[in-house]
């Protein structure tokens, strides 16, 4: 290392002891300029300077990942640094990427149970690849050693939720087994830049494949916690979507067992850049979206991306081991019905189990009729209980002695049956603010079962959704009067004022049906302790472009920091406070040009050619991260 570079690095490391440093766009030139103008004064605050939403005056910006936002660093000597943001993709799905063995793989490519590529007969048997990259984690592994890494070894785990369509425009949602990949990244120690050197497709055959992997989080012990949402209804087996999934995965439309899906997968990355996976069958079979493990490394707060969804909590028997524990569902005690409302929470214990015993039920071929009787029409029998399930009405009766099977395989129905509040709508990402002992949950839409009076949650809205803040405490008791063994139990939910969407009575000039300067339909959430910032990614049917937002929990200020291509959803959000001295904001997006009428009617004709040109005729989408361009301020 040259003396000049060494001096630059020492100055930057000194600076980083007190301030976050995004990876630098512009390489060593930017690093040198940044180092030469550093102050030694302590950092006093970090904030984000917002960008305006793109418009048709610049259609190219509306049709790509676009930002002109900045991060503002202020110091106690009165000086400041302005770091302009930029977006850097590792790849667009469908690209050929290195496999670490001298060959290439298709990024986001699909594989069957035998790890053979699944091809699209409507598109010249091209391997299917996903236009929907989603949950991601960025991490390091002790003693990592992968050929082609010359700086620091860094790994990213990226999962792919689904693919939108085949070459004949047929709907492919949920019809293919979700791939999940480990990326080996070469981190430049001087600039923080990450370069992809190896793409490894994780073998999921030992868990029977993955079903609709959506949001994800990094566990405190460095594993990737995945998800399987919209679990197949085991009481409705004549399901064309699930049969197609089974056919594509196993070559047999009847082989896949519905109770094998809807669990929480965990991926461990190994030092050679490969990964292995297990499923935890004891954390509830529900629409896992993005779970959060608390600092005790045992308590897991879990949202539920469903209609008639609940708030769930799992408390592991041992730290860093999710293979056994107790499962709870929340009871909402409403204190306000205004806007998104507010409520105090108590907890109902659903059961306790280990993963192996629940998996044995699945492997043995248990059926829904073994667990409970389920009717979709009133049986006129008072021994049945009327509940809400997936936006519809069910009448259910538990079979004798089947409480455990019901709790862990029919979690939604059982939780509703025993009195939990199964009335939320699309509760998505969850994250934690450790210092303040707060957590946050994204309620993508506030409508239907939250507003129609059909459940004990009865609030006003908005349809554009909100982010709720949880108050976390210890010393709580469950419905049986037993102490809950955690100091991180949610006891209250309420939405901060600047984290509530705003529905528009009349669409604006672009077609937005929710106010463009407020969040709409929040989905991914991640909190940065160092930045004191909650990052929020949108999955909106109300914004023409979806945005990534930064919300400062101290000032209450909300800043738009990234716009995704029109029709795309902001996904894969991951905030890393410190990784070998660098701060990362990971951000993917999916399904660009997913046109919805009337939302996109005013922009579609203009933007569709741009998006098709940028993203493989709308079959591709990006996996990447935000970088910084330092400037004097």
């Amino acid at each position: 290392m040259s003396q000049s570079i060494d001096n630059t690095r020492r100055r930057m490391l000194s600076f980083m002891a007190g301030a976050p440093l995004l990876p630098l766009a512009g390489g060593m030139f930017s690093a040198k300029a940044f180092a030469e103008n550093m102050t030694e004064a302590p950092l006093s605050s970090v904030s984000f300077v917002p960008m305006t939403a793109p418009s048709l005056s610049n259609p190219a910006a509306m049709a790509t990942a676009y930002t002109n936002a900045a991060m503002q660093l202020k110091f106690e000597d009165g000086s400041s640094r302005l770091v302009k943001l930029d977006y850097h993709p590792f790849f667009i799905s469908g690209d050929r990427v290195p496999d670490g063995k001298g060959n290439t793989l298709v990024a986001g490519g699909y594989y069957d149970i035998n790890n053979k590529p699944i091809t699209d007969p409507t598109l010249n048997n091209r391997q299917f690849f996903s236009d929907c990259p989603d949950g991601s984690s960025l991490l390091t592994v002790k003693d990592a050693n992968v050929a082609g890494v010359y700086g620091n070894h860094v790994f990213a785990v990226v999962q792919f939720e689904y693919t939108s369509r085949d070459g004949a425009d047929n709907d492919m949602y949920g019809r293919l087994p979700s791939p999940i990949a480990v990326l080996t990244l070469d981190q430049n120690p001087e600039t923080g830049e990450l370069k992809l050197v190896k793409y490894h497709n994780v073998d999921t055959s030992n868990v029977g494949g993955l079903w609709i992997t959506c949001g994800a989080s990094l566990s405190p012990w460095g594993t990737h916690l995945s998800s399987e949402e919209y679990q197949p209804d085991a009481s409705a087996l004549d399901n064309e979507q699930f049969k197609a999934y089974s056919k594509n995965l196993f070559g047999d439309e009847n082989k896949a067992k519905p109770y094998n899906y809807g669990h929480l997968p965990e991926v461990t990355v190994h030092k050679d850049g490969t990964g292995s996976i297990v499923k935890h069958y004891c954390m509830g079979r529900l629409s896992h979206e993005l779970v959060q493990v608390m600092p005790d490394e045992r308590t897991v707060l879990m949202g539920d991306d469903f209609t008639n969804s609940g708030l769930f909590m799992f408390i592991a028997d041992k730290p860093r081991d999710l293979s056994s524990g107790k499962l709870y569902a929340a009871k909402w005690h409403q204190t306000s019905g205004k806007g998104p409302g507010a409520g105090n929470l108590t907890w109902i214990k659903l059961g306790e189990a280990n993963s192996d015993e629940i998996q044995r039920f699945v492997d043995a071929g248990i059926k829904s009729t073994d667990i409970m009787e389920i009717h979709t029409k009133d049986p006129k029998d008072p021994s049945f209980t009327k509940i809400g399930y997936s936006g519809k009405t069910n009448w259910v009766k538990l079979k004798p002695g089947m409480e455990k099977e019901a709790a862990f395989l029919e979690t939604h129905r059982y939780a509703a049956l025993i009195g939990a509040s199964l009335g939320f709508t699309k509760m998505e990402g969850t994250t934690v603010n450790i210092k303040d002992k707060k957590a946050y949950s994204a309620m993508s839409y506030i409508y239907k079962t939250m507003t129609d009076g059909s459940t004990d949650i009865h609030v006003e809205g908005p349809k554009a959704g909100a982010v709720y803040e949880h108050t976390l405490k210890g010393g709580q008791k469950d419905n049986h009067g037993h102490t809950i063994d955690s100091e991180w139990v949610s006891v209250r939910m309420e939405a901060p004022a600047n984290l509530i969407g705003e529905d528009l009575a009349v669409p604006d000039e672009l077609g937005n049906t929710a106010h463009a300067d407020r969040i709409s339909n929040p989905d991914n959430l991640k909190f940065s302790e160092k930045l004191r910032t909650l990052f929020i990614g949108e999955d909106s049917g109300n914004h023409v472009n979806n945005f990534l937002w930064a919300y400062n929990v101290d000032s209450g200020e909300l800043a738009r920091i990234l716009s995704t291509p029109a029709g795309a959803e902001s996904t894969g959000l991951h905030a890393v406070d410190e990784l070998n001295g660098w701060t990362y904001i990971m951000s993917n997006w999916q399904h660009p040009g997913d046109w919805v009428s009337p939302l996109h009617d005013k922009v579609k004709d203009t933007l569709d050619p741009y998006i098709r040109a940028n993203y493989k005729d709308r079959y591709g989408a990006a996996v990447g991260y935000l970088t910084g361009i330092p400037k004097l301020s």
Side-chain angles (χ1 to χ4, degrees):
M1 182 181 292
S2 72
Q3 185 69 32
S4 174
I5 292 175
D6 187 53
N7 288 338
T8 296
R9 179 161 172 73
R10 282 203 303 270
R11 288 177 61 83
M12 291 176 69
L13 286 172
S14 175
F15 177 80
M16 284 185 283
L21 189 61
L22 296 177
L24 302 175
M28 280 307 300
F29 177 80
S30 287
K32 187 173 184 296
F34 199 65
E36 287 175 350
N37 292 282
M38 287 177 184
T39 175
E40 295 183 2
L43 180 73
S44 61
S45 68
V46 179
S47 61
F48 286 87
V49 180
M51 59 176 280
T52 57
S55 70
L56 284 175
S57 64
N58 185 359
M62 293 188 72
T64 190
Y66 168 77
T67 180
N68 59 10
M71 184 171 72
Q72 182 83 54
L73 308 175
K74 293 185 178 179
F75 300 91
E76 292 184 4
D77 63 1
S79 65
S80 63
R81 299 287 293 168
L82 188 68
V83 181
K84 293 189 67 177
L85 303 184
D86 198 9
Y87 182 73
H88 180 81
F90 297 123
F91 55 77
I92 304 299
S93 57
D95 286 353
R96 304 290 310 194
V97 291
D99 68 352
K101 302 174 183 178
N103 300 309
T104 61
L105 297 172
V106 175
Y110 284 88
Y111 298 87
D112 66 16
I113 199 68
N114 298 309
N115 292 301
K116 301 297 184 185
I118 303 174
T119 59
D120 182 356
T122 71
L123 204 58
N124 299 317
N125 287 316
R126 181 180 78 177
Q127 184 178 3
F128 273 112
F129 57 85
S130 176
D131 62 331
C132 294
D134 208 297
S136 67
S137 298
L138 195 68
L139 55 98
T140 58
V141 174
K142 185 180 180 181
D143 299 325
N145 185 15
V146 180
V149 176
Y150 300 100
N152 298 320
H153 287 79
V154 173
F155 300 97
V157 183
V158 179
Q159 58 198 45
F160 298 85
E161 186 177 4
Y162 61 92
T163 195
S164 296
R165 66 198 192 285
D166 66 11
D169 263 353
N170 297 308
D171 180 19
M172 291 300 295
Y173 180 81
R175 287 165 168 78
L176 295 168
S178 292
I180 191 162
V182 176
L183 314 183
T184 299
L185 305 169
D186 186 359
Q187 184 193 48
N188 185 322
E190 280 72 50
T191 67
E193 179 185 8
L194 300 173
K195 179 183 177 182
L196 176 65
V197 299
K198 178 181 177 180
Y199 180 105
H200 169 76
N201 186 70
V202 176
D203 180 1
T204 64
S205 60
N206 65 303
V207 296
L210 297 176
W211 170 267
I212 311 180
T213 54
C214 194
S217 63
L218 181 67
S219 73
W221 51 94
T223 58
H224 175 88
L225 301 180
S226 181
S227 58
E228 291 185 304
E229 70 174 9
Y230 308 132
Q231 72 282 359
D233 185 356
S235 73
L237 294 181
D238 189 20
N239 182 321
E240 186 274 332
Q241 178 197 47
F242 189 62
K243 287 180 179 291
Y245 172 88
S246 182
K247 177 72 172 178
N248 284 312
L249 177 58
F250 293 105
D252 179 348
E253 67 177 19
N254 297 310
K255 188 166 185 178
K257 299 180 176 76
Y259 281 134
N260 196 52
Y261 307 99
H263 304 285
L264 193 136
E266 181 175 16
V267 176
T268 299
V269 177
H270 306 296
K271 61 184 180 181
D272 63 351
T274 62
S276 56
I277 190 167
V278 297
K279 275 186 189 179
H280 298 298
Y281 293 82
C282 55
M283 298 181 70
R285 183 173 171 269
L286 46 100
S287 196
H288 291 288
E289 168 76 16
L290 192 165
V291 307
Q292 178 64 54
V293 181
M294 297 299 166
D296 64 358
E297 301 185 341
R298 294 176 57 241
T299 304
V300 188
L301 192 63
M302 303 183 288
D304 182 24
D305 185 5
F306 209 62
T307 301
N308 288 114
S309 69
L311 177 67
F312 295 89
M313 177 175 62
F314 178 77
I315 300 179
D317 292 334
K318 300 176 183 177
R320 300 188 168 207
D321 181 356
L322 302 179
S323 66
S324 66
K326 299 178 178 67
L327 180 65
Y328 300 84
K331 180 75 173 178
W332 166 276
H333 305 275
Q334 189 158 298
T335 59
S336 171
K338 184 175 177 60
N344 296 325
L345 301 178
T346 56
W347 290 89
I348 295 174
K349 183 181 176 183
L350 302 184
E352 53 187 293
N354 65 63
S355 185
D356 288 345
E357 64 180 314
I358 305 303
Q359 185 178 359
R360 283 195 292 270
F361 297 146
V362 176
D363 292 345
I366 192 170
K367 297 178 174 58
S368 67
T369 51
D370 299 325
I371 300 172
M372 59 175 59
E373 291 186 56
I374 302 167
H375 292 278
T376 56
K377 293 183 180 179
D378 189 350
K380 308 297 184 183
D381 181 342
S383 66
F384 283 80
T385 300
K386 181 181 178 181
I387 65 167
Y389 178 81
S390 192
K392 300 176 182 178
T393 301
N394 281 189
W395 288 261
V396 301
K397 181 168 67 173
L398 188 68
K399 295 290 184 71
M402 299 301 284
E403 287 82 3
K404 179 170 288 190
E405 292 87 342
F408 294 95
L409 295 176
E410 284 289 346
T411 307
H412 281 133
R413 289 184 171 107
Y414 184 67
L417 175 65
I418 65 173
S421 295
L422 272 289
F424 295 109
T425 50
K426 294 186 69 62
M427 185 187 291
E428 309 221 23
T430 304
T431 191
V432 66
N433 167 353
I434 298 171
K435 180 181 178 182
D436 298 335
K437 212 165 185 182
K438 302 287 187 181
Y440 307 93
S441 289
M443 201 72 66
S444 184
Y445 284 82
I446 301 176
Y447 66 167
K448 295 182 179 177
T449 57
M450 289 187 73
T451 60
D452 63 10
S454 64
T455 74
D456 49 4
I457 305 165
H458 191 195
V459 300
E460 295 174 337
K463 186 178 178 182
V467 175
Y468 288 81
E469 182 180 82
H470 297 263
T471 300
L472 305 175
K473 290 185 177 180
Q476 303 305 301
K477 296 183 182 296
D478 66 16
N479 57 312
H480 301 296
H482 299 147
T483 299
I484 299 173
D485 184 18
S486 173
E487 296 297 312
W488 298 87
V489 178
S490 176
V491 299
R492 182 168 175 79
M493 289 174 62
E494 187 169 6
N498 274 355
L499 296 182
I500 302 170
E502 182 180 333
D503 298 334
L504 297 178
V506 178
D508 68 15
E509 60 185 10
L510 278 181
N512 292 302
T513 55
H515 200 301
D517 292 332
R518 298 187 67 86
I519 63 169
S520 180
N521 311 112
D523 188 329
N524 279 206
L525 296 181
K526 289 291 166 65
F527 185 75
S528 166
E529 295 283 339
K530 192 169 187 177
L531 301 178
R532 298 286 293 161
T533 296
L534 176 66
F535 294 99
I536 305 163
E538 295 182 337
D539 175 13
S540 176
N542 296 294
H543 278 171
V544 171
N545 287 83
N546 280 319
F547 306 121
L548 176 61
W549 301 87
Y551 172 77
N552 186 290
V553 296
D554 296 317
S555 69
E557 293 179 353
L558 182 70
R560 181 192 292 109
I561 62 172
L562 180 73
S563 174
T564 66
E569 171 189 344
S570 176
T571 63
L573 179 60
H574 185 45
V576 183
D577 280 342
E578 196 282 328
L579 201 156
N580 298 322
W582 298 91
T583 297
Y584 290 93
I585 305 168
M586 311 297 292
S587 181
N588 306 335
W589 45 264
Q590 61 179 227
H591 55 69
D594 185 14
W595 307 121
V596 176
S597 184
L599 176 66
H600 295 112
D601 288 355
K602 295 179 181 179
V603 304
K604 177 181 176 181
D605 289 347
T606 300
L607 300 183
D608 190 64
Y610 285 89
I611 286 179
R612 289 182 183 274
N614 289 342
Y615 304 115
K616 297 181 170 66
D617 201 25
R618 297 195 301 131
Y619 287 97
V623 173
Y625 64 106
L626 292 173
T627 60
I629 306 171
K631 289 187 174 292
L632 287 174
S633 173

